[in-house]
């Protein structure tokens, strides 16, 4: 029956559910029997997702997570969809490259699985193609990969090689699997150019120079060290020299060769190497029999090493990484790690015995394997730029936040890599449970060593050996003065760039008695201050009267998010892009409630046929309302009129028809429909006496405004009629009242001052002063080590008080690692964006002296460091770009790594305002000790 269904044509009109079941069964069978050499087909994600939704439209709704092909066939979407059209893979095709290539259809270089395409087993593709047709067809082979060659992967991007024939000067671009043999490449080249096998010699022609004669016909192209977009020289031999060349395995007749040496001005040498360094042996590569034997022996001893690969220059480590689409953040971090000498040495040797395959906190060794493989490729001398697709795929698998093609934070990636590599390489297979003991007055040295020993008992890896240090952390309870000292490990230091102890904050001040317009006030407060410091500064700045007080509120999306009434709230919880309002209200607190007046207007719509609802805008105004007597609708009208009186335009007398325009029930928000449900629920609350002041003899009548009161059931009471009716107020401390601003009403009032609520700190272009006054790295370190209170969300549980306390915290450096990573906190994070500080930090390249910053005074070791790498960030978040400056220690020379482009730079160019993450190595000096008297 199944075979009959599978063979039915597209015109047989299978139901969506029948299609789903057929493909699911085929996929399950195909996935269970996958093996090397199988064929998979690319299909555009757009079409595939549409088909998934089509065949699941009658099922329970799920989401597509890109995990298993068979699972996709049981996803669903509740909407009714039409049958998909023919398969259209055109969005995967790079038409421009395909036209220039002789190797058939070319796909875009930056495609990602799950985002741009899905891989289908051949059986699944055949069935879909039978039903829908279309194309173009994009087959890809399954190959073995990984260091152990046991992992199966689909080779989406086979090697793209440019074949050059001399002396004919013909050329052709081909696609060929890296698992094909050199012999297959020979045959393919001869077919393309109509040559005989005994007529040609094929050379690894990297950089347009002969590097190695490719005469081992059984070696794979991967083992032959060929890379994407590399040149291959097809040299047509003289008949007399053909046999000699192939028997000896090296060129003996350079003088008789028809190859003409290219001029040095046209050379393209990887990594920016000069011709004298990078290609000193390129014209006549001779591999003697003794060299071949030694290489074979080394390959057996170090099966995962690269010593048997023919070198293409005298120096390694100058290989770029292709940008796969906003992956500069990843490339810069990787280059710094692979150029850390301890890591380069470790991963180029056989580190596999240290992989912790069972660590539940790790990535079952896959991250370490992917990183190690990438590192060895980057250190192979003279390679062309590498596309780190396998590594990025592993990264996306274990850290989905770095998937896709969005820009990310290089430091966040670095932190993940260091932690992930540590867990993958943790030598501790079974972590013991160790309970930390309290210091109990013991010497710091004893307690610190105990903490470190406990840490090493659970965490022991190359990452710990190289990058981890130890803090001394001191907490002091503000109530009982309990002191707690712990010694915690760290992987890197995150240093603040603000060297000042004060902070500038802008707050808009509202006078709720109807006397003045709202106005912004900018004050200076302690950076680690409390809300009481901000309230005091604002009170002084706005000449607060003796019978008034300041009520602070944070405004989000035109609504009050929270009142900042606790004077001990830390100002560090208020971000620079927050919006604050300060309301001057009477000091009377007994039997009063806050009345929040929230402004609304009709949402603008480009389609005149659509009636838009009322949406909040501007800034709410807050006042006090007394509850000593019953509150009527008229009382609230009087109070709101007084609050809005400064906004009334001159000559803007309101007629009752204009003022009483109210929203219809349909215009109110979902939670709030017009009703008079509160009319009969009178209570004995008493209205504010302001209505008596405004309606006395001889006073003009109070305009009736379109007000809606939100009752305790979230229903809205229309306050524009029945002014004597008593309203039932919500039992909470806050009363919400909406005012709906019609266009006619806005002609009488100017609400502009309500709409321009500034940020606490507005970031603008970097001033000249900021650029010309550098900040010392030592100053940043001192700010990091300065004592300060914990933020409220990190409050400490005091074991003596038995309560959570906002303790003060002091950090000290106790033990420093061999490689010290320093993160400069250029980005200020908030809910909606990141601000970047362009501060120029003057950091030392040589002689970074940290001896005096170590709290462990019993240590006699001098703490001296030297910079060897750093990442840079240029521009703003989202549109910025990362690079790396790295010093090759073997050459004692600095290079700029900008994705695939590498260029030499002077040491004077290393320190810029773009520096983001710094990498320092401990200096091994003769003067290894310092006096304890310092």
């Amino acid at each position: 029956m199944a075979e009959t269904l599978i063979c039915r044509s597209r015109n047989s009109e299978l139901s969506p559910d029948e299609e789903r079941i057929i493909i699911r069964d085929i996929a399950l069978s195909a996935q269970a029997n996958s093996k090397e050499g199988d064929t998979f087909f690319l299909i555009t994600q757009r079409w595939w997702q549409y088909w998934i939704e089509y065949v699941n439209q009658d099922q329970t709704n799920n989401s597509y997570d890109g995990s298993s092909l068979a699972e996709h066939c049981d996803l669903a979407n509740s909407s009714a969809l039409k049958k998909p059209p023919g398969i259209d893979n055109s969005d995967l095709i790079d038409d421009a490259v395909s036209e220039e290539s002789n190797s058939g259809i070319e796909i875009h270089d930056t495609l990602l699985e799950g985002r741009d395409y899905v891989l289908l087993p051949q059986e699944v593709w055949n069935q879909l193609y039978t039903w829908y047709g279309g194309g173009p067809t994009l087959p890809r082979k399954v190959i073995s990969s990984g260091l152990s060659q046991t992992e199966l992967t689909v080779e989406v991007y086979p090697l793209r090689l440019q074949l050059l024939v001399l002396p004919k000067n013909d050329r052709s671009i081909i696609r060929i699997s890296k698992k094909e043999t050199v012999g297959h490449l020979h045959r393919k080249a001869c077919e393309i150019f109509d040559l005989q096998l005994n007529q040609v010699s094929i050379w690894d022609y990297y950089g347009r120079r002969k590097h190695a004669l490719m005469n081992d016909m059984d070696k794979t192209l991967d083992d032959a060290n060929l890379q994407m977009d590399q040149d291959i020289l097809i040299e047509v031999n003289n008949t007399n020299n053909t046999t000699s060349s192939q028997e000896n395995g090296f060129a003996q007749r350079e003088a008789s060769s028809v190859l003409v040496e290219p001029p040095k001005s046209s050379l393209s040498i990887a990594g920016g190497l000069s011709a004298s360094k990078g290609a000193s042996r390129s014209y006549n590569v001779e591999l003697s029999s003794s060299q071949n034997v030694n290489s074979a022996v080394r390959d057996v001893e170090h099966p995962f090493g690269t010593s048997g690969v023919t070198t293409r220059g005298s120096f390694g480590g100058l290989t770029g990484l292709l940008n796969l689409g906003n992956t500069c953040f990843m490339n810069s971090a990787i280059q710094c790690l692979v150029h850390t000498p301890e890591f380069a040495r470790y991963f180029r040797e056989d580190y596999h015995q240290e992989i912790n395959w069972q660590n539940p906190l790790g990535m079952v060794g896959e991250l370490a394997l992917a990183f190690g493989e990438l590192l060895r490729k980057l250190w192979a001398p003279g390679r062309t730029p590498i596309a780190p697709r396998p590594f990025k795929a592993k990264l996306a698998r274990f850290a989905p936040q770095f998937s896709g093609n969005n820009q990310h934070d290089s430091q966040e990636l670095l932190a993940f890599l260091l932690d992930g590599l540590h867990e993958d390489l943790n030598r501790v297979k079974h972590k013991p449970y160790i309970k930390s003991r309290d210091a109990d007055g013991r010497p710091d040295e004893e307690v610190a060593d105990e903490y470190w020993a406990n840490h090493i008992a659970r965490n022991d890896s190359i990452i710990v050996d190289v990058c981890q240090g130890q803090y001394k952390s001191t907490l002091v309870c503000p109530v009982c003065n309990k002191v707690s000292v712990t010694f915690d490990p760290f992987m890197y230091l995150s240093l603040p760039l603000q060297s000042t102890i004060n902070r500038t904050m802008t707050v808009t001040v509202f006078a709720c008695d109807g006397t003045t317009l709202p106005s912004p006030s900018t004050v200076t407060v302690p950076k680690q201050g409390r809300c009481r410091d901000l309230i005091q500064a604002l009170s002084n700045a706005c000449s607060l009267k003796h019978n008034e007080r300041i009520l602070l509120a944070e405004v989000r999306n035109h609504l009050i998010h929270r009142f900042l009434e606790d004077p001990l709230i830390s100002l560090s919880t208020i971000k620079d892009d927050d919006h604050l309002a300060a309301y001057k209200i009477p000091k009377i607190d007994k039997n009063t409630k806050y009345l929040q007046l929230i402004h609304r207007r009709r949402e603008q719509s480009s389609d005149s046929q659509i009636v838009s609802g009322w949406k909040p805008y501007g800034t709410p105004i807050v006042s006090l309302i007394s509850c000593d007597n019953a509150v009527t609708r008229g009382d609230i009208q009087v109070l709101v009129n007084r609050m809005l009186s400064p906004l009334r335009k001159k000559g803007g007398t309101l007629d009752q028809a204009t003022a009483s325009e109210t929203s219809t029930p349909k215009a109110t928000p979902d939670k709030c429909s017009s009703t008079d449900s509160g009319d009969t629920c009178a209570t004995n609350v008493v209205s504010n006496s302001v209505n008596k002041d405004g309606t006395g003899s001889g006073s003009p009548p109070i305009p009736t405004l379109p007000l809606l009161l939100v009752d305790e059931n979230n229903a809205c009471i229309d306050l524009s009629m029945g002014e004597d009716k008593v309203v039932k107020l919500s039992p909470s401390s806050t009363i919400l009242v909406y005012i709906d601003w019609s266009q006619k009403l806005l002609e009488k009032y100017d609400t502009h001052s309500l709409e321009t609520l500034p940020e606490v700190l507005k970031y603008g272009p970097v001033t000249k002063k900021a650029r010309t006054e550098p900040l010392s790295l030592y100053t940043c370190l001192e700010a990091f080590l300065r004592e300060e209170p914990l933020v409220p969300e990190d409050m400490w549980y005091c074991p003596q008080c038995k309560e959570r306390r906002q303790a003060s915290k002091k950090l000290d450096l106790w033990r420093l690692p061999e490689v010290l990573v320093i993160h400069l906190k250029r980005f200020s994070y908030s809910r909606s964006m990141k601000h970047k500080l362009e501060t120029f930090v003057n950091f030392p390249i040589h002689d970074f002296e940290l001896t005096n910053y170590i709290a462990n005074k019993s240590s006699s070791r001098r703490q001296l460091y030297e910079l060897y790498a750093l990442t840079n960030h240029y521009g703003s978040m989202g549109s910025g770009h990362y690079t790396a400056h790295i010093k090759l220690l073997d050459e004692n020379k600095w290079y700029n790594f900008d994705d695939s482009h590498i260029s030499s730079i002077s040491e004077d160019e290393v320190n810029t305002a773009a520096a983001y993450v710094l990498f320092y190595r401990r200096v091994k000096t003769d003067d290894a000790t310092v006096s304890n008297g310092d």
Side-chain angles (χ1 to χ4, degrees):
M1 180 64 182
E3 293 179 0
T4 304
L5 286 175
I6 293 174
C7 296
R8 290 172 64 178
S9 68
R10 182 183 177 187
N11 296 328
S12 299
E13 295 301 330
L14 289 171
S15 69
D17 196 51
E18 287 177 318
E19 287 192 21
R20 177 180 62 84
I21 294 173
I22 291 172
I23 294 299
R24 182 197 63 190
D25 293 343
I26 296 175
L28 287 171
S29 175
Q31 290 176 353
N33 299 295
S34 293
K35 61 185 182 302
E36 187 175 2
D38 285 351
T39 301
F40 276 66
F41 289 78
L42 276 71
I43 189 169
T44 176
Q45 168 72 19
R46 176 178 45 79
W47 191 94
W48 173 252
Q49 185 62 39
Y50 187 93
W51 182 83
I52 289 293
E53 294 171 356
Y54 164 71
V55 298
N56 286 279
Q57 54 191 319
D58 296 327
Q59 306 297 316
T60 304
N61 190 28
N62 281 299
S63 60
Y64 168 43
D65 65 358
S67 54
S68 167
L69 175 62
E71 291 173 1
H72 301 345
C73 298
D74 285 316
L75 300 179
N77 190 296
S78 59
S79 60
L81 296 175
K82 296 181 180 179
K83 193 177 186 72
I87 299 170
D88 182 7
N89 282 334
S90 59
D91 58 341
L92 305 180
I93 308 304
D94 191 333
D95 294 326
V97 176
S98 297
E99 291 176 2
E100 298 176 1
S101 173
N102 295 324
S103 57
I105 298 172
E106 290 283 345
I107 63 175
H108 290 287
D109 279 341
T110 57
L111 300 180
L112 288 178
E113 184 180 1
R115 184 198 69 181
D116 303 305
Y117 66 87
V118 173
L119 289 168
L120 303 181
Q122 183 169 4
E123 298 86 348
V124 174
W125 167 265
N126 289 344
Q127 187 58 65
L128 287 174
Y129 189 78
T130 299
W131 289 338
Y132 293 96
T137 302
L138 302 171
R140 294 295 187 269
K141 289 291 185 181
V142 175
I143 62 172
S144 60
S145 63
L147 298 172
S148 59
Q149 298 296 307
T150 58
E151 181 179 344
L152 296 181
T153 184
V154 178
E155 190 178 28
V156 175
Y157 289 93
L159 286 176
R160 182 169 51 209
L161 304 175
Q162 178 166 247
L163 307 182
L164 307 175
V165 179
L166 289 177
K168 292 183 178 181
N169 288 325
D170 290 343
R171 64 186 58 221
S172 177
I173 296 176
I174 66 168
R175 283 281 191 179
I176 186 171
S177 172
K178 63 182 180 181
K179 293 301 180 180
E180 291 288 1
T181 63
V182 171
H184 183 83
L185 177 61
H186 271 252
R187 292 190 295 274
K188 194 173 184 69
C190 289
E191 291 173 5
I192 292 173
F193 298 111
D194 194 22
L195 299 171
Q196 298 297 319
L197 285 174
N198 60 358
Q199 288 183 304
V200 300
S201 297
I202 295 186
W203 293 83
D204 177 344
Y205 199 48
Y206 171 78
R208 297 298 180 90
R209 290 174 179 267
K210 291 182 177 180
H211 284 279
L213 179 64
M214 300 174 63
N215 64 332
D216 185 345
M217 299 300 169
D218 295 326
K219 179 181 286 188
T220 67
L221 303 184
D222 192 27
D223 293 336
N225 202 22
L226 298 188
Q227 295 298 308
M228 187 71 71
D229 293 320
Q230 183 177 321
D231 291 332
I232 300 294
L233 177 64
I234 312 297
E235 188 175 34
V236 180
N237 302 316
N238 293 334
T239 304
N240 294 335
N241 291 332
T242 301
T243 303
S244 175
S245 170
Q246 293 190 355
E247 287 178 353
N248 293 324
F250 58 89
Q252 296 179 333
R253 57 192 198 298
E254 189 67 20
S256 63
S257 172
V258 295
L259 175 63
V260 178
E261 176 185 346
K264 290 185 179 179
S265 61
S266 66
L267 293 181
S268 174
I269 300 180
L273 288 173
S274 64
S276 61
K277 286 184 178 180
S280 58
R281 298 171 27 243
S282 296
Y283 286 86
N284 189 8
V285 179
E286 298 185 359
L287 302 178
S288 67
S289 57
S290 61
Q291 287 176 313
N292 287 328
V293 171
N294 291 337
S295 296
V297 171
R298 286 195 299 269
D299 284 343
V300 172
E301 293 175 345
H302 302 286
F304 301 104
T306 57
S307 56
V309 178
T310 305
T311 61
R312 295 175 176 162
S314 55
F315 290 105
L318 286 174
T319 302
L321 289 167
L322 292 176
N323 193 318
L324 305 179
N326 280 333
T327 55
C328 57
F329 77 96
M330 180 182 76
N331 293 348
S332 59
I334 288 174
Q335 291 287 13
C336 289
L337 287 180
V338 302
H339 286 88
T340 298
E342 292 82 355
F343 293 157
R345 182 169 55 252
Y346 177 85
F347 283 99
R348 292 166 77 186
E349 295 174 352
D350 184 10
Y351 63 93
H352 296 76
Q353 59 188 357
E354 293 199 336
I355 291 180
N356 192 330
W357 305 101
Q358 287 80 36
N359 188 355
L361 300 178
M363 290 79 175
V364 293
E366 291 190 27
L367 185 66
L369 289 172
F371 179 80
E373 187 171 0
L374 181 58
L375 180 144
R376 284 193 299 278
K377 288 182 178 179
L378 289 172
W379 270 103
R383 284 179 177 269
T384 51
I386 292 171
R389 286 192 185 89
F391 180 82
K392 189 175 187 302
K394 293 295 183 189
L395 185 67
R397 176 180 175 185
F398 294 108
Q401 66 269 30
F402 299 118
S403 62
N405 282 75
N406 294 326
Q407 183 68 274
H408 297 280
D409 191 323
S410 181
Q411 187 271 334
E412 291 178 359
L413 172 71
L414 180 68
F416 171 81
L417 285 181
L418 288 174
D419 187 60
L421 289 173
H422 158 65
E423 295 296 353
D424 265 4
L425 298 167
N426 196 346
R427 303 175 186 114
V428 179
K429 305 304 190 240
H430 303 286
K431 294 186 178 184
Y433 172 75
I434 302 174
K435 186 176 181 179
S436 299
R437 295 168 53 202
D438 195 77
D440 290 332
R442 292 182 293 159
D444 282 349
E445 293 79 7
E446 177 184 337
V447 179
D449 288 346
E450 180 181 283
Y451 268 85
W452 188 252
N454 291 344
H455 175 65
I456 295 299
R458 294 173 54 85
N459 301 276
D460 183 16
S461 70
I462 181 65
I463 306 298
V464 176
D465 297 342
V466 175
C467 290
Q468 286 199 357
Q470 190 179 29
Y471 290 132
K472 175 186 177 183
S473 177
T474 305
L475 291 170
V476 180
C477 177
V479 178
C480 69
N481 294 321
K482 163 72 176 177
V483 177
S484 173
V485 177
T486 58
F487 293 85
D488 304 312
F490 68 86
M491 195 90 74
Y492 51 86
L493 303 179
S494 288
L495 305 188
L497 298 192
Q498 301 93 332
S499 60
T500 62
I501 60 174
N502 292 326
R503 177 185 183 186
T504 299
M505 303 182 74
T506 298
V507 182
T508 301
V509 180
F510 292 78
C512 303
D513 57 1
T515 56
T516 58
L517 286 169
S519 61
S521 179
T522 301
V523 295
T524 300
V525 293
K527 180 175 293 185
Q528 300 301 329
R530 314 277 181 159
C531 272
R532 63 190 176 196
D533 300 309
L534 177 57
I535 292 172
Q536 184 60 52
L538 289 171
S539 301
N540 298 334
C542 67
S543 302
L544 196 69
K545 298 176 184 178
H546 72 278
N547 62 341
E548 292 179 323
R549 67 182 178 92
I550 290 289
L551 174 65
L552 275 177
E554 180 186 342
V555 178
R556 292 189 197 173
N557 299 321
H558 312 293
L559 301 173
I560 291 179
H561 173 66
R562 60 169 175 162
F563 286 113
L564 302 171
E565 296 186 276
D566 184 351
L568 295 180
I569 292 177
S570 174
L571 294 180
S572 63
T573 64
I574 302 173
K575 306 303 181 184
D576 288 337
D577 65 341
D578 286 345
H579 299 265
L580 296 187
Y583 303 98
K584 296 195 291 185
I585 60 176
K587 286 186 176 178
I588 304 171
D589 287 330
K590 293 183 179 180
N591 204 18
T592 58
K593 292 179 182 289
Y594 295 136
L595 186 147
Q596 287 186 38
L597 182 65
I598 299 172
H599 312 276
R600 302 194 305 184
R601 64 183 173 190
R602 283 198 180 277
E603 187 178 43
Q604 299 298 318
S605 174
S606 57
D607 189 344
S608 59
Q609 301 300 318
I610 298 177
V611 178
S612 300
W614 294 90
K615 299 295 181 182
Y617 87 105
T619 306
I621 305 178
V622 178
S623 185
L624 280 183
I625 184 168
S626 172
C627 299
D628 288 332
N629 298 303
V631 178
T632 66
R633 299 180 182 186
D635 294 335
I636 298 177
Q637 285 279 349
V638 172
L639 179 58
V640 173
N641 265 280
R642 175 171 292 183
M643 294 163 66
L644 296 177
S645 59
L647 307 179
R648 192 175 301 171
K649 296 178 181 178
K650 291 183 179 180
T653 303
L654 277 72
D655 57 79
Q656 291 298 314
T658 300
S660 61
E661 284 185 348
T662 60
S663 57
T664 64
K666 292 182 180 179
T668 58
D670 293 339
K671 72 167 188 175
C672 183
S673 58
S674 284
T675 176
D676 290 339
S677 61
D679 293 353
T680 60
C681 301
T683 62
N684 58 357
V685 294
V686 181
S687 67
N688 193 310
S689 60
V690 294
N691 64 324
K692 310 297 187 296
D693 299 335
T695 58
S697 177
S699 299
I702 297 297
T704 302
L705 296 171
L707 304 179
L708 295 170
L709 172 71
V710 181
D711 69 8
E712 58 184 347
N713 297 318
N714 279 343
C716 285
I717 303 171
D718 188 348
L719 303 180
S720 63
M721 59 186 70
E723 65 178 31
D724 294 331
K725 289 186 177 182
V726 175
V727 295
K728 182 180 179 181
L729 301 179
S730 170
S732 68
S733 61
T734 302
I735 301 169
L736 295 181
V737 175
Y738 291 113
I739 178 169
D740 291 339
W741 293 93
S742 64
Q743 196 57 44
K744 286 187 178 181
L745 192 58
L746 288 173
E747 293 174 1
K748 307 294 183 179
Y749 288 84
D750 183 2
T751 62
H752 179 71
S753 58
L754 301 177
E755 301 176 42
T756 54
L757 191 64
E759 295 180 353
V760 169
L761 178 60
K762 181 67 175 178
Y763 281 81
V766 182
T767 63
K768 182 177 180 182
K769 180 179 180 181
R771 289 194 301 266
T772 57
E773 294 184 1
L775 183 63
S776 168
L777 184 60
Y778 291 106
T779 305
C780 297
L781 181 60
E782 290 162 5
F784 172 73
L785 299 176
R786 188 181 297 123
E787 183 177 357
E788 58 185 40
L790 295 172
V791 295
E793 52 265 31
D794 292 335
M795 286 200 300
W796 171 62
Y797 180 80
C798 176
Q800 192 161 291
C801 295
K802 306 297 183 183
E803 290 188 23
R804 299 186 70 82
R805 302 293 189 191
Q806 193 170 10
S808 61
K809 184 175 184 178
K810 175 73 170 70
L811 288 178
D812 291 291
L813 300 179
W814 188 265
R815 186 190 309 265
L816 291 181
E818 291 300 305
V819 169
L820 179 62
V821 181
I822 295 179
H823 164 225
L824 302 178
K825 297 175 71 173
R826 293 199 175 276
F827 301 113
S828 174
Y829 293 78
S830 66
R831 287 169 298 278
S832 57
M833 64 183 67
K834 297 179 183 180
H835 296 303
K836 184 185 177 185
L837 297 174
E838 300 284 357
T839 309
F840 179 84
V841 178
N842 187 13
F843 54 85
I845 295 177
H846 306 283
D847 301 327
F848 183 32
E849 179 70 75
L850 294 176
T851 307
N852 292 333
Y853 292 92
I854 300 298
N856 183 10
K857 299 306 179 183
S858 66
S859 173
S860 60
R861 187 177 188 180
R862 188 180 181 191
Q863 308 292 337
L864 190 65
Y865 286 82
E866 179 175 351
L867 187 77
Y868 71 93
L870 69 152
T871 64
N872 303 292
H873 183 271
Y874 300 92
S876 59
M877 287 306 298
S879 60
H881 181 60
Y882 286 95
T883 67
H885 290 163
I886 296 173
K887 184 178 183 179
L888 260 64
L889 301 182
D890 291 340
E891 294 187 60
N892 194 30
K893 189 174 182 180
W894 284 91
Y895 289 90
N896 178 50
F897 286 71
D898 186 354
D899 289 329
S900 59
H901 179 69
I902 303 173
S903 57
S904 175
I905 59 174
S906 67
E907 190 172 282
D908 295 337
E909 300 175 80
V910 171
N911 196 338
T912 70
Y916 185 41
V917 182
L918 311 175
F919 291 74
Y920 283 93
R921 290 186 75 226
R922 189 191 301 277
V923 176
K924 305 296 191 296
T925 62
D926 294 335
D927 182 16
T929 61
V930 293
S931 171
N932 290 337
D934 282 356

